[in-house]
Amino acid sequence: MSFASVILALVTLQRLGELVLARRNTERLLARGAIEVGARHYPLIVLVHAGWLTALWIWGRNQDVNLAALAALLLLQGLRQWILATLGPRWTTRIIVLPGTPLVGSGPYRHFPHPNYAVVAGEIALLPLALHLPVLALIFTVLNLAVLAIRIRAESRALSVADWPRVSTP
């Protein structure tokens, strides 16, 4: 098994684990009275991410690895963990709004409005670059940005419905 295949296997397992976590968090939030907003664009997100991983497996599994791009990708994983820890049970892959619950304004959300989207955008570009696939990096970066434009608009609308307080935790 090549080093590239090991990296792809780890990323694939990470994404599958995140889907399990997201589903569990979504179910718990919905049970508490949360609502999903902007669900119509969600299949596009799934399609872009599944296409990205599939393309990487097809064209990248036996590639040499650019260690500088891999190092940058690993740094993003630290930010991803910070995001997951900050949002805790509120982290999902969907837009789930729990009325009466303040917005999170701590952790990376204190510094960036959409840190998770920034991490994902970085990953979508960096992993293909780490596998010497710049065309895939460009194609999926553009596709991801298009889907994110839709998603961020939907999320901003959902979060601006009420004057949500921000909650900061140490």
Side-chain angles (χ1 to χ4, degrees):
M1 183 178 254
S2 70
F3 185 39
S5 290
V6 170
I7 293 166
L8 290 172
L10 290 172
V11 169
T12 301
L13 288 172
Q14 176 189 37
R15 290 299 196 266
L16 291 173
E18 287 173 355
L19 286 175
V20 169
L21 175 63
R23 175 170 281 176
R24 184 176 340 135
N25 288 345
T26 296
E27 289 170 356
R28 288 178 180 165
L29 287 165
L30 293 174
R32 291 177 53 200
I35 56 170
E36 181 174 1
V37 179
R40 287 182 34 206
H41 74 273
Y42 188 72
L44 292 173
I45 292 173
V46 172
L47 185 64
V48 168
H49 285 257
W52 174 72
L53 268 176
T54 300
L56 289 170
W57 274 106
I58 291 169
W59 289 291
R61 70 178 178 269
N62 292 316
Q63 294 284 76
D64 290 331
V65 176
N66 176 321
L67 295 180
L70 180 61
L73 184 67
L74 290 174
L75 285 174
L76 285 179
Q77 299 316 298
L79 184 52
R80 173 184 289 287
Q81 293 308 311
W82 189 23
I83 291 163
L84 289 169
T86 300
L87 290 178
R90 292 171 68 174
W91 184 86
T92 70
T93 56
R94 297 176 178 269
I95 302 172
I96 306 294
V97 178
L98 184 59
T101 304
L103 295 176
V104 174
S106 60
Y109 292 87
R110 182 178 304 165
H111 309 288
F112 306 104
H114 298 285
N116 195 62
Y117 302 152
V119 167
V120 171
E123 291 171 333
I124 284 178
L126 283 170
L127 187 52
L129 292 175
L131 301 176
H132 302 281
L133 299 168
V135 173
L136 283 183
L138 179 62
I139 290 168
F140 283 98
T141 294
V142 169
L143 291 172
N144 183 57
L145 290 176
V147 172
L148 278 180
I150 297 166
R151 181 170 181 102
I152 289 172
R153 267 195 310 272
E155 186 173 299
S156 295
R157 268 193 310 271
L159 296 178
S160 69
V161 168
D163 187 24
W164 295 63
R166 291 224 178 246
V167 62
S168 295
T169 55

